[in-house]
Amino acid sequence: MAKVKTKFVCQECGYETAKWFGKCPSCGEWNTLVEEIESKASDTKSQRGISKGKIEKIQNITSSKKDRISSGSKEMDRVLGGGIIKSSLVLVGGDPGIGKSTLLLQVADHVSKKNLKVLYVSGEESGEQIKLRADRLGLGEGELYILSETNIDIIKELVEKEEPDLLILDSIQTIYSPEVVSAPGSVSQVREVTAMVMRMTKVRDMASFIVGHVTKSGAIAGPRVLEHMVDTVLYFEGERHFSYRILRSVKNRFGSTNEIGIFEMREQGLVEVENPSEVFLRGRPVDAYGTVVTAAMEGTRPVLIEIQALVTYSPAGFAKRITTGIDNNRAAMLLAVLEKKAGLALQSSDTFLNVTGGLQLKEPACDLAILCALASSFKEIPIDFKTILLGEVGLTGEIRGVNSVEKRIIEAQKMGFERAIIAEANLNATKDLKNIEIVPVNNVRQAMDMLF
């Protein structure tokens, strides 16, 4: 009898080794190596590529603009780069219960009403459960077909038979291939099933969506190669106690990355938010210290957001530094600049920073707003209600220019703002703007003296 050959595979990064380790040598995670049986494909036909061995000279290849299918939502079309492209494979990840299945069911319903066939495959729910959700949302009148199955071979047979225009798999961690000797959701299964779905998508010229579970750290579960294999990666973000959801593109071969779509969860499902700036500034207090408005670029869209700061005396002698929506290291750096360059004694004060609405600020263009919100709370002096602040702050206290400053200020004008404090380096980019006061500043000390 032939000896069964096994290997150990890391369930976080996909690293393979012949022996077990407590700590993965590749990603450094503990207790993630799982023993799996090595299997060889018995059918060589299943390993054929999608090009059938045909090569072409690049000058002879015609690049035509592919028609896009509307998803029924302007916000999702924006994130996808204008709509759904046939032969594209899209990965959607997000926390449990965030609304991934609801969103894709709404997309499937809209596409099915355009005389296009849609196959919705669920490995987690029965047909009756999906029907109950569809009835609650008022969906299910088009060419929408439901399949509750986890075997990829059966799914492949039905795809070849029915020839759908759109395939949705919910979720990739529940689908398995009988040829791979490991549990569904393992690295080997996820990698093999995704490869099969990709081949079906490219060969049959259909669009496919696959849902991916996320780990406790927020990353999509399974090997990183999963995100490399697909054409588009979308993250569905939001908090359970907030009604707003953010669909973010982190990879897109057919459009720009870091584009976002904003939705609100209601009884009738996910409803798109057309003016996010108005939503994020709703309920903003008037003449309150510690609150500042800035404009963040989310892809090609400027979004006005409110930054709140609270600086209080620390009786314990060990100051707390707590942030929500802002990188903690970035906030610590700005606090150090504020102490050194503006002369504010914050070392014995607890500081709390919050971005309203649940957004995550990652670009340095919001540095000046964060810094001024902290100073406003410390001095207990409010900043003018109709003033917006834009600028990157360096370690020497200088204020640097930001990109797309004109777009940001135009968005602020639409929301009724009358003054913009920006870096002097951006002054030339705003010379054509009217009906708004542009105030340039060079450094942190100058900004502090002007505002306080």
Side-chain angles (χ1 to χ4, degrees), residues 318-323 328 331-332 335 339 346-353:
F318 182 77
K320 296 179 182 178
R321 301 288 186 257
I322 298 177
T323 62
N328 200 44
L335 280 167
E339 290 185 7
L346 299 172
Q347 65 272 11
S348 60
S349 299
D350 293 334
T351 57
F352 304 87
L353 283 167

Side-chain angles (χ1 to χ4, degrees), residues 303-348:
V303 179
L304 299 188
I305 52 177
E306 179 189 0
I307 298 175
Q308 295 181 337
L310 179 62
V311 180
T312 62
Y313 173 72
S314 176
F318 182 77
K320 296 179 182 178
R321 301 288 186 257
I322 298 177
T323 62
T324 303
I326 299 171
D327 180 63
N328 200 44
N329 294 327
R330 189 78 183 175
M333 185 200 77
L334 293 175
L335 280 167
V337 172
L338 201 56
E339 290 185 7
K340 186 74 174 179
K341 301 300 178 181
L344 301 186
L346 299 172
Q347 65 272 11
S348 60

